């Protein structure tokens, strides 16, 4: 009996040493930048990963999703934002990702949602030494994808916060359906589908449709001079989030366009975004 007890003690001590060794290894991990990491076989399935020093099981990750009408744009469009985030979130990992672009014959939905899922799956693989807690910052079409993934496809509730910058969120909005740009703009997302005879597809790809009590905290930014995203989108999303008692903030800039804001508005936007992430993520 004494031999077994001693053996058990040695085993516990060994386990403790291993855990301490693993913890120390995490604490000693240097900061690292990995550019154009492939998360799939397509040339566009690549992401830039910025890993902080001392990362480990509690390290959270901010994922950037670029805009471009689901048919254009790239992670390079948001590279300017990396130094800002690194300076304010020194203990977070930051990911700036590309996704496959949509066309009328090869629509963005659902492959762009699948790309987000693939990228997150790879980030959780263990090779990056980070946690399974993520936040999205999306711009325009990227904001739409961020909300849609977080509200509809995040089955494990790993998305803890969403920032939507001029993101379309509710395609049942009459301002959209009456716009001559509506079908043309969405053809790269859902294909050449008539919105009047096929309303169900537009409801399916509307983030607002999928908001629930489990949706993550969300911050919304819109501009009054935006020619692409109706000013009504923000209040419609906010009303839906309020209905389910989901924490949200709506910030509206009357003179703001589709993200092309003056320095004063840009500074206010950045301050509010950073404060939201610090508080909710």
């Amino acid at each position: 009996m004494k031999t077994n007890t001693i053996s058990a003690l040695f085993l516990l001590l060994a386990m403790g040493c291993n855990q301490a060794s693993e913890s120390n290894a995490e604490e000693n991990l240097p900061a690292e930048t990995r550019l154009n990491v492939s998360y799939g076989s397509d040339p566009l399935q690549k992401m830039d990963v910025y890993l902080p020093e001392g990362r480990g099981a509690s390290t959270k990750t901010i994922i950037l999703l670029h805009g471009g009408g689901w048919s254009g744009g790239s992670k390079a469009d948001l590279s300017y934002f990396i130094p800002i985030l690194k300076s304010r979130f020194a203990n977070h990992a930051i990911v700036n990702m590309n996704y496959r672009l949509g066309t009328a014959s090869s629509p963005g939905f659902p492959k762009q949602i699948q790309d987000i899922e693939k990228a997150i799956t790879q980030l959780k693989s263990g090779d990056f030494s980070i946690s399974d807690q993520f936040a999205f910052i999306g711009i325009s079409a990227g904001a739409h994808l961020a909300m849609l993934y977080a509200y509809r496809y995040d089955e494990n509730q790993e998305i803890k916060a969403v920032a939507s910058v001029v993101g379309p969120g509710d395609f049942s909005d009459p301002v959209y359906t009456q716009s001559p740009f509506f079908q043309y703009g969405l053809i790269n997302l859902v294909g050449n589908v008539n919105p009047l005879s096929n309303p169900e597809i537009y409801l399916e790809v509307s983030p607002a449709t999928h908001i629930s009590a489990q949706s993550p905290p969300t911050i919304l930014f819109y501009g009054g001079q935006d020619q692409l995203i109706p000013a009504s989108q923000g209040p419609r999303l906010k009303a839906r989030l309020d209905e389910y008692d989901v924490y949200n903030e709506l910030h509206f800039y009357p003179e703001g366009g589709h993200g092309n804001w003056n320095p004063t508005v840009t500074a206010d936007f950045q301050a509010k975004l950073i404060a939201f992430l610090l508080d909710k993520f």
Side-chain angles (χ1 to χ4, degrees):
M1 180 66 68
K2 183 180 292 185
T3 302
N4 289 341
T5 301
I6 293 173
S7 298
L9 286 172
F10 273 118
L11 180 59
L12 287 171
L13 286 171
M15 290 174 64
C17 289
N18 286 339
Q19 290 172 353
S21 176
E22 290 174 2
S23 176
N24 289 336
E26 288 181 348
E27 292 173 0
N28 293 328
L29 285 173
E32 186 179 356
T33 296
R34 304 184 192 180
L35 301 179
N36 292 313
V37 176
S38 294
Y39 63 85
S41 58
D42 191 280
L44 284 175
Q45 291 174 317
K46 286 185 168 57
M47 56 184 171
D48 296 338
V49 183
Y50 303 86
L51 300 167
E53 180 181 5
R55 63 190 175 277
S58 62
T59 301
K60 300 175 182 178
T61 301
I62 299 171
I63 299 177
L64 301 176
L65 292 167
H66 68 82
W70 303 283
S71 63
S74 78
K75 57 185 172 65
D77 299 338
L78 297 181
S79 60
Y80 75 94
F81 208 35
I82 301 301
I84 299 171
L85 291 174
K86 289 176 71 174
S87 69
R88 300 306 302 267
F89 299 94
N91 296 321
H92 288 60
I94 301 167
V95 174
N96 189 13
M97 65 174 285
N98 275 340
Y99 48 82
R100 289 172 292 173
L101 301 178
T103 65
S105 59
S106 179
F109 181 78
K111 67 181 181 182
Q112 291 169 348
I113 291 294
Q114 294 166 349
D115 283 357
I116 295 172
E117 182 177 24
K118 288 179 181 179
I120 289 176
T121 297
Q122 182 156 333
L123 289 168
K124 296 190 302 180
S125 67
D127 184 44
F128 299 92
S129 299
I130 56 177
S131 75
D132 58 357
Q133 298 185 64
F134 303 91
F136 285 137
I137 300 175
I139 313 295
S140 191
H144 162 265
L145 294 172
M147 290 188 289
L148 184 59
Y149 183 90
Y151 302 159
R152 172 68 176 86
Y153 296 96
D154 180 28
E155 295 181 355
N156 297 322
Q157 296 182 10
E158 295 167 335
I159 309 304
K160 304 301 183 182
V162 175
S164 167
V165 185
V166 296
D170 184 358
F171 296 125
S172 68
D173 186 345
V175 182
Y176 260 138
T177 56
Q178 296 169 11
S179 168
F181 300 106
F182 180 64
Q183 187 171 2
Y184 173 78
L186 287 180
I187 192 172
N188 297 309
L189 176 64
V190 297
N192 194 12
V193 179
N194 188 316
L196 298 179
S197 58
N198 297 277
E200 65 283 348
I201 184 62
Y202 293 95
L203 290 175
E204 176 62 24
V205 297
S206 290
T209 303
H210 308 290
I211 290 172
S212 71
Q214 286 70 49
S215 296
T218 302
I219 189 168
L220 306 162
F221 297 94
Y222 294 93
Q225 305 304 312
D226 193 329
Q227 300 300 309
L228 297 177
I229 308 301
S232 54
Q233 285 289 285
R236 291 176 73 91
L237 280 165
K238 178 172 178 52
R240 185 75 168 165
L241 290 162
D242 286 345
E243 179 182 346
Y244 286 94
D245 200 27
V246 176
Y247 179 87
N248 69 89
E249 298 178 22
L250 171 60
H251 301 287
F252 181 73
Y253 302 110
E255 301 305 317
H258 192 64
N260 53 331
W261 300 332
N262 64 43
T264 301
V265 170
T266 298
D268 185 77
F269 150 68
Q270 291 183 3
K272 286 182 167 59
L273 172 61
I274 289 169
F276 168 78
L277 290 174
L278 287 172
D279 181 42
K280 298 302 178 184
F281 188 61

